[in-house]
């Protein structure tokens, strides 16, 4: 297994089905903070459903259509980043992230997203990375801004979640922009 240091006391590494007990403990700490924005937080409520969430990403990784990585701070899983979708044929991907309160304010999600952008747009040669978030989730939009994404627009009342229809911001980064920003 590999780990990528994010800070002196934080690292990014794959999040796999065998880690379902740790993931479930993390989701229990993160649920109130994450559930308003991420549908699988609602579904990962016991060991079987937590394992199913991670297995879904393992299956996507095997087919090269998505991946999930955890962020550990001082040895505790506090959040993560993922390729919600990864399409080499179209050259597009969607990146997402989540965290529990203990993972906020350290720049960990922003660092993780930068690594995924680099992997998708440089290493794998994709053309476009997207970041989709509810307009009500200011922290998520702030991550997109910090990594230099551009706001393409807002899809009004685009998705229902927990009985509420949310407007969805669409942010993007194109490969030439990312490469120019990296210097």
């Amino acid at each position: 297994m590999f780990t990528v240091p994010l800070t002196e006391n934080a690292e990014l590494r794959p999040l796999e089905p065998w880690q379902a007990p740790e993931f479930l403990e993390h989701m229990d700490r993160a649920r109130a903070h994450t559930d308003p924005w991420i549908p699988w937080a609602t579904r990962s409520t016991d060991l079987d459903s937590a394992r199913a969430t991670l297995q879904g990403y393992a299956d996507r990784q095997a087919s090269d259509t998505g991946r999930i990585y955890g962020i550990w701070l001082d040895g505790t899983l506090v959040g993560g980043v993922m390729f919600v979708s990864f399409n080499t044929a179209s050259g597009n991907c969607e990146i997402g992230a989540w965290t529990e309160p203990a993972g906020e304010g350290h720049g960990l999600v922003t660092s993780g997203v930068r690594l995924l952008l680099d992997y998708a747009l440089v290493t794998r040669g994709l053309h476009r990375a997207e970041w989709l978030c509810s307009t009500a989730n200011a922290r998520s939009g702030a991550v997109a801004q910090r990594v230099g994404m551009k706001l393409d627009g807002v899809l009004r009342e685009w998705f229902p979640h927990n009985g509420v229809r949310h407007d969805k911001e669409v942010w993007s980064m194109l490969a030439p922009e990312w490469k120019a920003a990296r210097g």
Side-chain angles (χ1 to χ4, degrees), residues 51-135:
R51 187 175 291 110
T53 295
L54 296 179
Q55 186 62 53
Y57 275 96
D59 294 344
R60 284 190 233 165
Q61 180 169 338
S63 65
D64 200 25
T65 60
R67 296 169 190 246
I68 192 168
Y69 302 93
I71 295 173
W72 279 262
L73 178 62
D74 294 321
T76 300
L77 179 62
V78 296
V81 293
M82 67 237 177
F83 287 113
V84 178
S85 64
F86 196 90
N87 187 320
T88 58
S90 68
N92 299 329
C93 68
E94 179 189 345
I95 296 174
W98 79 97
T99 186
E100 64 183 67
E104 289 184 341
H106 306 282
L108 303 176
V109 167
T110 301
S111 293
V113 170
R114 284 187 178 117
L115 288 168
L116 267 57
L117 284 166
D118 212 44
Y119 176 76
L121 301 176
V122 177
T123 303
R124 294 298 303 276
L126 272 61
H127 180 72
R128 177 183 169 92
E130 293 183 339
W131 181 271
L132 308 176
C133 62
S134 170
T135 57

Side-chain angles (χ1 to χ4, degrees), residues 7 9 12 14 16-17 21 30 44 49 64-65 73 88-89 92 94 107 111 121 136 165 170 172 174 176 179 181:
T7 66
N9 59 339
L12 182 76
E16 300 173 341
S44 300
S49 59
D64 200 25
T65 60
L73 178 62
T88 58
N92 299 329
E94 179 189 345
S111 293
L121 301 176
R165 291 205 67 87
V170 179
S172 68
L174 303 179
K179 291 172 185 173

Side-chain angles (χ1 to χ4, degrees), residues 134-174:
S134 170
T135 57
N137 189 350
R139 293 186 72 84
S140 187
V143 171
Q145 286 180 315
R146 278 194 299 276
V147 299
M149 290 184 155
K150 307 287 187 254
L151 180 62
D152 292 339
V154 175
L155 303 171
R156 298 177 311 129
E157 295 186 9
W158 190 81
F159 70 104
H161 184 56
N162 292 337
V164 176
R165 291 205 67 87
H166 292 262
D167 291 349
K168 181 168 275 202
E169 294 177 346
V170 179
W171 296 81
S172 68
M173 174 67 71
L174 303 179

